[in-house]
Amino acid sequence: MIDTHSHIYEPEFCTDREDVIQRAREAGVEHILLPNINADSIAPMLELCHCHPDYCHPMLGLHPTDVKPDTYLQELSDMEDLLTVPNHPYIAIGEVGLDYYWDKSNAKEQEAAFRMQIEWAVRHHLPLVIHARSAHQQLVAAMTEYRDEALTGIFHCFGGTADEALELLQFPGFALGIGGVVTYKKSILPESLAIVPLERIVLETDAPYLAPVPYRGKRNESAFIVEVLRKIAYIYNVSEQEVESITNDNARRIFPRINMLQGIVHSKKYT
């Protein structure tokens, strides 16, 4: 299994991070992909990758809820400079996108930051890992502007309707990231996924958030991705081995630098 979205570099894991890594390995997790959220998270993320090369892989991006009107342009400029370093370790642009759930006062800046980071993906030939909350139509509109750019990536933490899934699947290089929400009793995902080919999904945890049943309400971790896999196998009426094989292939196709960077030790020099 490949956990395509996990924040185990965050402070919630400061007391047992190595145990979390070990449990993930024992559960069968082959790789953990780490989306960045802001300038402050780069160093701890890279430190974790330095300690676990070939296992933990970093992304680079500014999360929409971290877009501050007074500072985001400089923060983005500094981040893109990191992508110009030869042999940089970043496997994707993420976690980026739009989030109007808590606050729409910075909507203009969020949209500008999102477009800037889409253009990073184009210039640097990297996939996008996209967060969207209460902003589905705005997301589709922004992505449509770049339809001809052969972009690839993940629509992270998909939890929408079948119609929303169809709108996102119109972008052929993208897959839907499915996590713990699929296991929730009131989730609409089992019905929505009826129209989604297994070849268009990847597994994720979003640790420490959105732990699956039977861990709901607790701190999520990468080892819990087993519960997501089991639920997906049930929904698609296939074996767990088939889900693992197909979703692993999907993740490797979207994130080719996982394989390209094998053996390269991630270093603090990239910060």
Side-chain angles (χ1 to χ4, degrees):
M1 294 169 289
I2 297 176
D3 183 356
T4 62
H5 199 109
S6 182
H7 300 274
I8 58 171
Y9 56 82
E10 290 191 346
E12 287 89 340
F13 299 94
C14 64
T15 61
D16 65 343
R17 188 172 286 109
E18 290 304 310
D19 292 337
V20 167
I21 293 283
Q22 184 60 33
R23 286 194 291 270
R25 291 183 183 274
E26 291 172 355
V29 178
E30 300 173 30
H31 296 279
I32 302 175
L33 312 189
L34 307 176
N36 183 55
I37 55 174
N38 56 36
D40 292 337
S41 66
I42 296 173
M45 178 183 64
L46 289 182
E47 175 64 24
L48 179 58
C49 294
H50 178 72
C51 292
H52 296 277
D54 299 341
Y55 192 72
C56 294
H57 305 274
M59 307 180 200
L60 188 68
L62 183 62
H63 192 284
T65 61
D66 283 271
V67 173
K68 305 298 188 290
D70 294 339
T71 60
Y72 82 98
L73 289 174
Q74 185 61 55
E75 194 165 8
L76 289 174
S77 177
D78 293 343
M79 283 186 182
E80 192 180 11
D81 286 345
L82 301 178
L83 297 173
T84 66
V85 177
N87 299 316
H88 71 75
Y90 303 105
I91 65 166
I93 305 302
E95 174 177 1
V96 305
L98 302 169
D99 191 319
Y100 300 152
Y101 183 78
W102 298 110
D103 184 9
K104 293 182 67 174
S105 65
N106 66 341
K108 180 179 177 182
E109 291 81 7
Q110 280 194 43
E111 292 177 14
F114 183 35
R115 283 178 170 81
M116 289 175 67
Q117 292 174 102
I118 294 174
E119 290 169 6
W120 292 0
V122 174
R123 283 197 295 274
H124 299 283
H125 308 289
L126 291 170
L128 283 162
V129 172
I130 299 174
H131 168 111
R133 192 175 188 191
S134 299
H136 176 80
Q137 293 305 322
Q138 294 90 340
L139 166 66
V140 171
M143 291 295 294
T144 299
E145 296 178 21
Y146 295 88
R147 186 186 298 279
D148 296 333
E149 297 293 349
L151 289 166
T152 62
I154 305 297
F155 293 112
H156 155 62
C157 197
F158 178 74
T161 66
D163 286 343
E164 289 171 333
L166 284 173
E167 286 190 284
L168 297 180
L169 292 177
Q170 70 178 305
F171 302 102
F174 282 77
L176 306 182
I178 306 299
V181 173
V182 75
T183 69
Y184 298 170
K185 185 176 181 179
K186 294 184 179 180
S187 173
I188 64 172
L189 270 176
E191 292 75 26
S192 300
L193 291 177
I195 55 87
V196 179
L198 191 53
E199 290 75 16
R200 298 294 299 276
I201 71 170
V202 295
L203 306 181
E204 62 178 35
T205 60
D206 202 19
Y209 315 108
L210 300 173
V213 174
Y215 306 103
R216 189 174 185 184
K218 299 181 180 180
R219 183 194 67 175
N220 201 4
E221 59 180 77
S222 290
F224 298 168
I225 202 169
V226 171
E227 304 301 331
V228 179
L229 181 144
R230 288 173 178 161
K231 184 67 174 183
I232 294 295
Y234 174 79
I235 291 170
Y236 284 86
N237 193 28
V238 298
S239 70
E240 293 176 16
Q241 292 76 15
E242 184 172 353
V243 173
E244 180 174 6
S245 176
I246 293 174
T247 57
N248 279 0
D249 287 347
N250 298 343
R252 291 181 185 278
R253 182 180 68 251
I254 292 168
F255 300 102
R257 285 175 65 86
I258 292 176
N259 302 318
M260 293 168 58
L261 292 172
Q262 293 288 312
I264 295 178
V265 178
H266 304 306
S267 168
K268 289 182 181 180
K269 73 181 181 180
Y270 296 111
T271 58

